[in-house]
Amino acid sequence: MKKKKKDITIRNGRVVDPGNGIDEVTDLHLSAGKILALGQTPENFQPLLEIDATDQIVCPGLIDLTVNLREPGNEHKATIASETACAARNGITTLCCTPDTLPVIDTPAVVGQIRHKARKAGYCRLLPQGALTKNLDGTHLSEMAALKAAGCIAVTNCYTPLANTLVQRRAMEYASTFNLLTIIRPEDQYLCNNGCAHEGKVADRLGLPGIPEAAETVAVARDLALAETTGAVIHFHALSSASAARTMAWAKREGRKVSADVAIHQLHLTELDLEGFDSNRHVRPPLRTDSDRDGLRKAVAENVIQAICSDHQPHEADAKSSPLPDTEPGISGLDTLLPLTLKLVEQEVMDLSSAIARLTCGPADILGLPLGRLTPGYAADICIYDPNRQWHVSAEQIHSAGKNTPFTGWEMPGRVTHTLLKGRLVFREETL
């Protein structure tokens, strides 16, 4: 028999719900796993639990559009249990995981295995992305209808290139048939040419093979044209250049069915951070110039880029212990997603409501799901954090199995104290 969910009241918090235009100190009432009401206590409502959120921010649970959980196939790096627990500690209630697992997420059986493990862990809502092509081979289209029926919310080929643009067109057409979002990591494989850093003066000085900005902008232009032809709804993941952001602004003005996200580290780091050859700063797409970072920040502030994601890629120590070009790219990002976004508020890049929107209703709208808002009747996914708590990034403070972060030593704002998933406490800070 299912255990009845507690009725809960969260009192005296500053409720910030950008999707509903709310920013005020008030109470929030939860019943049967859903949002019941804001403000005055409903008649005859008697909560079994009250949470005092005085001087804290109460917002919708965060939605991370792109994470690599490493399971199945790379459990020596991380597991579904370890990373969903980490997400809960950091206020994230929904994770969208990439299909580049072993085996690849290209059959309902693999989707079922992953969802079962996530439900068993119980920390997070896990929404798998399905493979665009079978085994990510770039040639043979996957059974998208079956993947959607099994629970996939989108299809993507991650960083594995498609054989040619005709396959890309057919894949978009096929995904569109099933009303599936196509997620694209815009990158021209030939222009990348096995590079590992932004092509420019810094890469030249350090002797690192470069990836030109054009590798991204050419791909964005190509895929926008194909989307126009096919009628597909596409989403660009992890933009890294100001030029691509400007193209997105144009596409949105034209009314194209397109959206985009950016990895949070691209809003703080640049190519100059590679000076020390720190392999934890080896990412794909590469860290680019100051002007690219500023262009991305502007696009996020203006809602041209509607979502900020962690692009979480946990690694074991050995994966980052070789010379930089030989290391595996990627940052362990779940622990720093919210604090680095709050840092953008401190730096006056955007206001708090806009920052929280890029982590809640923004990604929810991209997915077309009734999440990311504190609307009565919606699932009670909630993040409560103390905005006045400062902390320093260290291996001990990183709760992901992957400790590969370039932010070690940085002072971060904001500490999550409670996370609720469907009205159930999945994290409560031990010191409380």
Side-chain angles (χ1 to χ4, degrees), residues 261-276:
D261 68 57
V262 61
I264 185 63
H265 54 261
Q266 294 283 2
L267 300 175
H268 288 278
L269 303 177
T270 71
E271 58 180 346
L272 294 172
D273 290 293
L274 289 175
E275 292 281 5

Side-chain angles (χ1 to χ4, degrees), residues 183-254:
I183 297 177
I184 299 168
R185 293 180 180 238
E187 187 178 83
D188 185 290
Q189 59 172 317
Y190 300 107
L191 289 172
C192 285
N193 196 26
N194 298 315
C196 69
H198 173 66
E199 183 178 282
K201 292 180 180 177
V202 174
D204 289 347
R205 185 166 64 250
L206 299 177
L208 298 172
I211 299 174
E213 176 191 292
E216 180 169 287
T217 52
V218 164
V220 168
R222 176 197 64 202
D223 295 330
L224 280 172
L226 288 173
E228 181 75 358
T229 298
T230 61
V233 180
I234 62 172
H235 173 76
F236 289 116
H237 166 57
L239 294 187
S240 68
S241 67
S243 177
R246 286 193 295 272
T247 303
M248 275 296 301
W250 168 82
K252 290 176 75 75
R253 285 196 300 273
E254 291 288 308

Side-chain angles (χ1 to χ4, degrees), residues 64-400:
D64 194 344
L65 283 180
T66 303
V67 299
N68 192 317
L69 298 180
R70 304 305 192 194
E71 186 179 8
N74 281 299
E75 289 84 350
H76 62 290
K77 293 178 182 288
T79 65
I80 289 172
S82 69
E83 302 315 280
T84 54
C86 173
R89 293 187 70 108
N90 290 285
I92 303 166
T93 50
T94 300
L95 293 174
C96 302
C97 64
T98 56
D100 49 345
T101 48
L102 297 172
V104 166
I105 305 177
D106 63 357
T107 66
V110 181
V111 177
Q113 177 189 359
I114 289 171
R115 297 187 75 191
H116 170 72
K117 291 198 172 188
R119 283 194 298 270
K120 186 177 179 182
Y123 294 109
C124 244
R125 179 183 296 101
L126 188 60
L127 303 176
Q129 301 171 7
L132 198 61
T133 59
K134 293 179 180 176
N135 201 33
L136 297 175
D137 67 2
T139 303
H140 303 92
L141 301 187
S142 63
E143 298 294 339
M144 298 182 198
L147 291 174
K148 181 177 181 180
C152 288
I153 42 84
V155 285
T156 178
N157 232 49
C158 299
Y159 276 121
T160 307
L162 297 176
N164 54 55
T165 48
L166 182 59
V167 174
Q168 180 94 352
R169 174 181 178 171
R170 298 294 184 233
M172 285 185 181
E173 288 173 338
Y174 197 42
S176 181
T177 301
F178 301 110
N179 196 29
L180 263 172
L181 179 69
T182 303
I183 297 177
I184 299 168
R185 293 180 180 238
E187 187 178 83
D188 185 290
Q189 59 172 317
Y190 300 107
L191 289 172
C192 285
N193 196 26
N194 298 315
C196 69
H198 173 66
E199 183 178 282
K201 292 180 180 177
V202 174
D204 289 347
R205 185 166 64 250
L206 299 177
L208 298 172
I211 299 174
E213 176 191 292
E216 180 169 287
T217 52
V218 164
V220 168
R222 176 197 64 202
D223 295 330
L224 280 172
L226 288 173
E228 181 75 358
T229 298
T230 61
V233 180
I234 62 172
H235 173 76
F236 289 116
H237 166 57
L239 294 187
S240 68
S241 67
S243 177
R246 286 193 295 272
T247 303
M248 275 296 301
W250 168 82
K252 290 176 75 75
R253 285 196 300 273
E254 291 288 308
R256 302 290 185 89
K257 295 184 290 187
V258 60
S259 56
D261 68 57
V262 61
I264 185 63
H265 54 261
Q266 294 283 2
L267 300 175
H268 288 278
L269 303 177
T270 71
E271 58 180 346
L272 294 172
D273 290 293
L274 289 175
E275 292 281 5
F277 291 98
D278 181 357
S279 59
N280 285 320
R281 293 166 184 183
H282 178 198
V283 293
R284 185 176 170 185
L287 302 173
R288 298 199 184 274
T289 65
D290 285 352
S291 62
D292 285 310
R293 180 197 58 192
D294 294 345
L296 291 170
R297 285 182 165 196
K298 181 173 184 287
V300 171
E302 294 177 350
N303 203 25
V304 169
I305 294 177
Q306 303 98 315
I308 300 173
C309 69
S310 70
D311 200 16
H312 179 64
Q313 297 182 51
H315 285 296
E316 79 283 20
D318 285 350
K320 291 289 190 181
S321 61
S322 303
L324 190 144
D326 300 329
T327 58
E328 296 183 51
I331 286 172
S332 178
L334 291 177
D335 287 280
T336 48
L337 176 61
L338 176 61
L340 284 173
T341 303
L342 296 177
K343 240 181 192 330
L344 297 174
V345 179
E346 285 187 346
Q347 296 169 357
E348 300 183 346
V349 175
M350 66 183 88
D351 60 27
L352 179 62
S353 182
S354 297
I356 290 179
R358 304 298 175 266
L359 298 173
T360 56
C361 56
D365 291 346
I366 290 168
L367 297 173
L369 295 175
L371 299 171
R373 291 172 169 83
L374 302 178
T375 305
Y378 275 33
D381 296 351
I382 295 166
C383 165
I384 305 173
Y385 72 90
D386 184 344
N388 300 312
R389 295 266 296 279
Q390 301 285 320
W391 59 285
H392 287 85
V393 180
S394 66
E396 293 73 26
Q397 297 290 333
I398 295 294
H399 296 95
S400 166

